[in-house]
Amino acid sequence: MKNKILGIIGGGQLGRMIALSASHLGINSHIYDPNPDSPAFDVASDIFNNEYSDIEAVKKFAKGVDVCVYEFENIPIRTAQTIEDLCPLRPSSKVLAISQDRLLEKKFLSDKAKVKTAPFYECNNIDDLKTATKYLNKSAILKTRRLGYDGKGQVRINKDSNLETIWKKVGDNQSIVEGFISFQRELSVIIARSIDADIKIYDCVENRHKNHILDETIAPAPHLKNKVQNSAEEIAIRIANELNLIGLLAVEMFEMEDGELVVNEIAPRPHNSGHWTMDGCTTSQFEQSVRAAMGWPLGSTLRNVDIVMKNLIGKEINLINTFLEDSRYKTYSYGKKEVREGRKMGHINRIIEKDSNVSKFMP
Ligand code: AMP
């Protein structure tokens, strides 16, 4: 019997962990990434080290796989559509197009999925910025519509801000301005939807950031009210159904003081805030994304233990040796050759002992 072949666009740590999970299901992975040092190439059965705009290479890649997934949003839509003409892309290029553009995403969330978001305005020039800032009582965030991540391409605006200077510095003729939300904490949920519209959702988790980069995820979110867990699930289901999702989707939300949830953004792929599932659930988010893409039944998302996940950013990767001998910690290194400041190098899952009341990473 010939092994099934999964195509993965993007060869970073997410692509690597998708490929490793696929291998446990007997599936081989072909990975496409222009960076010759892609960490996922180490675990691929075939690699395509070509530009995303190289349509001939993209066609060759797509013809050689049964189904294709992606590990990041900023794939040119033409590339995604080229793949989709030749093999199933899951989630679809339509979902990708929405999630890679903050304006389309916010419009979809508020107008189609009808979930609460920050107030937002399209912003294409300095006059738009001035008008939007006025509407938002001078408490806002300017964001580029595309290519922003980990707080990049964003700037906070308050009553002391000089809008002309801000626009010169980060203004892009395709931006949005959002009202600044005074949230209590950041939560996320990960949902999977199968080809038969079956749905599975992982527990809602709390995410804590340092320097705009995810530092720790606590699963489940401490002291989360049932009402909030339920509304996080309802929101995720509404979004997944409205997108006609086949695959995995992360939903990032702000929890307000009164428990109301405001959706910040969606990511149609495994997400950093789901790394805890590797040790917390029978089916990890990576395996789930492969199952959904393959058209297989979804696995259980039941959480078996409480977990705190800590990202190892830059030199923090050296911490790994400290935890190798402690059975409560499960360590992951992404095999990246160069340690750079702000670069995600690995992560550690801390299994929280039953009844220990601990919800932090360090002992
Ligand atoms: P994003 O790139 O949209 O995920 O934003 C990165 C981080 O900026 C989020 O995790 C929040 O901490 C913060 N942030 C984004 N949008 C808003 C907002 N409208 N109000 C307050 N904080 C925000």
Side-chain angles (χ1 to χ4, degrees):
M1 196 176 72
K2 201 169 152 280
N3 283 358
K4 290 267 183 207
I5 298 177
L6 176 69
I8 305 175
I9 311 168
Q13 67 269 17
L14 299 177
R16 179 177 167 115
M17 290 185 276
I18 296 170
L20 289 169
S21 282
S23 77
H24 297 314
L25 299 169
I27 296 164
N28 294 349
S29 295
H30 292 185
I31 300 184
Y32 195 111
D33 196 309
N35 175 4
D37 280 336
S38 294
F41 283 173
D42 296 341
V43 299
S45 62
D46 200 0
I47 63 166
F48 285 71
N49 184 210
N50 302 89
E51 294 301 322
Y52 293 122
S53 55
D54 182 345
I55 293 299
E56 285 316 307
V58 168
K59 282 184 182 164
K60 198 169 160 218
F61 166 76
K63 281 181 190 156
V65 302
D66 291 293
V67 60
C68 195
V69 297
Y70 43 91
E71 64 142 24
F72 74 117
E73 282 86 88
N74 294 315
I75 300 158
I77 281 301
R78 185 161 166 246
T79 302
Q81 286 167 343
T82 303
I83 291 171
E84 215 164 31
D85 286 344
L86 296 166
C87 76
L89 178 71
R90 290 174 177 158
S92 68
S93 64
K94 186 187 134 227
V95 175
L96 182 72
I98 291 170
S99 65
Q100 67 179 212
D101 179 328
R102 289 184 198 280
L103 181 64
L104 299 187
E105 181 180 56
K106 283 271 170 356
K107 281 187 174 165
F108 166 82
L109 289 169
S110 60
D111 301 348
K112 292 266 171 46
K114 301 202 186 310
V115 297
K116 181 148 193 201
T117 66
F120 62 94
Y121 296 93
E122 183 171 357
C123 179
N124 299 327
N125 51 53
I126 177 72
D127 292 333
D128 289 348
L129 177 63
K130 286 179 180 166
T131 312
T133 305
K134 199 166 96 197
Y135 287 150
L136 295 167
N137 293 325
K138 299 194 175 144
S139 182
I141 301 189
L142 171 67
K143 298 182 179 179
T144 55
R145 278 173 62 174
R146 290 166 179 276
L147 299 174
Y149 67 99
D150 291 342
K152 294 192 175 70
Q154 314 197 353
V155 61
R156 170 91 166 94
I157 294 169
N158 58 34
K159 61 179 177 24
D160 302 321
S161 301
N162 181 326
L163 297 183
E164 306 275 352
T165 313
I166 286 179
W167 184 255
K168 273 197 201 114
K169 219 158 116 197
V170 290
D172 181 285
N173 59 4
Q174 290 204 315
S175 303
I176 68 166
V177 183
E178 287 181 20
F180 185 81
I181 304 290
S182 298
F183 54 80
Q184 192 200 343
R185 59 177 172 172
E186 298 191 56
L187 303 175
S188 61
V189 281
I190 293 176
I191 183 167
R193 190 171 176 275
S194 75
I195 198 159
D196 304 318
D198 183 26
I199 277 180
K200 297 264 191 222
I201 307 177
Y202 292 95
D203 277 0
C204 186
V205 297
E206 177 177 337
N207 299 312
R208 296 185 182 164
H209 298 80
K210 257 191 208 160
N211 305 321
H212 303 288
I213 302 174
L214 182 66
D215 180 44
E216 290 189 9
T217 294
I218 305 165
H223 314 296
L224 190 73
K225 296 207 170 72
N226 278 343
K227 202 180 87 187
V228 182
Q229 168 77 33
N230 293 341
S231 74
E233 289 183 10
E234 271 168 35
I235 287 170
I237 292 171
R238 221 173 316 146
I239 294 171
N241 283 339
E242 197 58 47
L243 286 171
N244 209 3
L245 178 79
I246 303 175
L248 199 75
L249 180 93
V251 183
E252 291 182 42
M253 292 163 294
F254 302 136
E255 184 184 14
M256 307 302 286
E257 207 63 54
D258 62 0
E260 189 183 28
L261 295 175
V262 176
V263 179
N264 179 34
E265 61 177 4
I266 53 175
R269 54 168 172 82
H271 192 258
N272 197 168
S273 71
H275 290 2
W276 66 274
T277 62
M278 298 171 88
D279 299 296
C281 301
T282 311
T283 312
S284 75
Q285 62 161 349
F286 299 103
E287 177 175 334
Q288 198 75 291
S289 73
V290 178
R291 284 171 174 253
M294 283 288 166
W296 292 357
L298 300 178
S300 165
T301 49
L302 196 70
R303 184 178 44 76
N304 300 319
V305 283
D306 292 3
I307 294 226
V308 180
M309 187 283 312
K310 160 129 185 74
N311 267 338
L312 300 175
I313 310 287
K315 290 195 183 113
E316 285 179 344
I317 189 66
N318 300 327
L319 278 175
I320 258 193
N321 298 334
T322 323
F323 294 101
L324 280 177
E325 286 185 56
D326 188 329
S327 61
R328 293 170 303 177
Y329 294 85
K330 182 75 191 284
T331 58
Y332 297 87
S333 173
Y334 306 146
K336 293 184 181 176
K337 292 176 188 75
E338 199 188 331
V339 180
R340 284 199 300 263
E341 199 187 336
R343 193 177 199 201
K344 291 175 181 167
M345 302 298 298
H347 71 270
I348 303 182
N349 281 335
R350 175 177 181 186
I351 318 273
I352 305 296
E353 311 79 58
K354 270 220 164 349
D355 307 320
S356 70
N357 253 338
V358 174
S359 63
K360 60 181 173 37
F361 179 73
M362 292 303 274

